[in-house]
Amino acid sequence: MNMNMYNTNSTILTGAILPFPRARGVEYAARTKHPKGMSLRIALVDDEPVARMRFGRLLREAGCQVLAELEDGHQLLAWLREGHKVDALFLDIALPGPSGMELLAELRDGPPVIFVTANAEHAVAAFEHQASDFLVKPVTADRLAKSMARLEGF
């Protein structure tokens, strides 16, 4: 498979459509569904401060409630252990401590996970681990809107 099938806007150049597994997150969403019309509650994990700040702003502009902007996997796990609930997690893949992939495996029964990374070559592995979506940095508002529409389908 051609691993360079994504351009910087994260659209598929080959015309092939990757399946978006729905098994992960469906049960979680049923347990935590918020009233229709309310914004999605999000936690964002990225070790790059500028990328974290920019993507957090993009999420808020899209109408999301960004409940946490964290810099590594250990912070996310501690935050979730405190009892915080979110509708989705946006994770970088390369993180200090547990990687985004390791977090996804650890949070098997958790909320849907959308990876946000500069490395498109991780896309296949992300979907094999049942990620809900995969965004390539820099993320555009249009691409984020498509991802958010997918989340609302959960």
Side-chain angles (χ1 to χ4, degrees), residues 68-129:
E69 294 183 27
L70 307 164
E71 65 184 55
D72 64 45
H74 293 297
Q75 286 182 351
L76 174 65
L77 293 173
W79 187 79
L80 290 171
R81 276 192 295 271
E82 292 172 1
H84 298 281
K85 302 287 184 211
V86 293
D87 299 309
L89 297 170
F90 285 82
L91 307 177
D92 193 359
I93 290 181
L95 294 168
S99 71
M101 294 286 190
E102 291 168 331
L103 289 168
L104 178 62
E106 187 162 337
L107 301 170
R108 286 180 298 276
D109 297 323
V113 170
I114 296 90
F115 285 115
V116 183
T117 184
N119 302 308
E121 66 269 10
H122 295 294
V124 172
F127 287 116
E128 286 174 350
H129 286 86

Side-chain angles (χ1 to χ4, degrees), residues 6-86:
Y6 294 92
N7 67 14
T8 57
N9 291 326
S10 185
T11 55
I12 299 174
L13 298 177
T14 63
I17 298 175
L18 291 173
F20 295 101
R22 299 195 66 123
R24 179 180 165 66
V26 172
E27 288 181 30
Y28 180 88
R31 293 191 315 262
T32 62
K33 200 70 174 172
H34 52 79
K36 200 152 186 82
M38 297 212 33
S39 62
L40 292 172
R41 299 164 301 186
I42 304 295
L44 161 64
V45 184
D46 195 317
D47 60 325
E48 299 173 30
V50 173
R52 188 172 58 243
M53 182 178 65
R54 181 191 180 280
F55 193 63
R57 183 178 64 243
L58 193 61
L59 285 165
R60 283 186 287 281
E61 288 171 357
C64 296
Q65 294 178 48
V66 181
L67 302 182
E69 294 183 27
L70 307 164
E71 65 184 55
D72 64 45
H74 293 297
Q75 286 182 351
L76 174 65
L77 293 173
W79 187 79
L80 290 171
R81 276 192 295 271
E82 292 172 1
H84 298 281
K85 302 287 184 211
V86 293

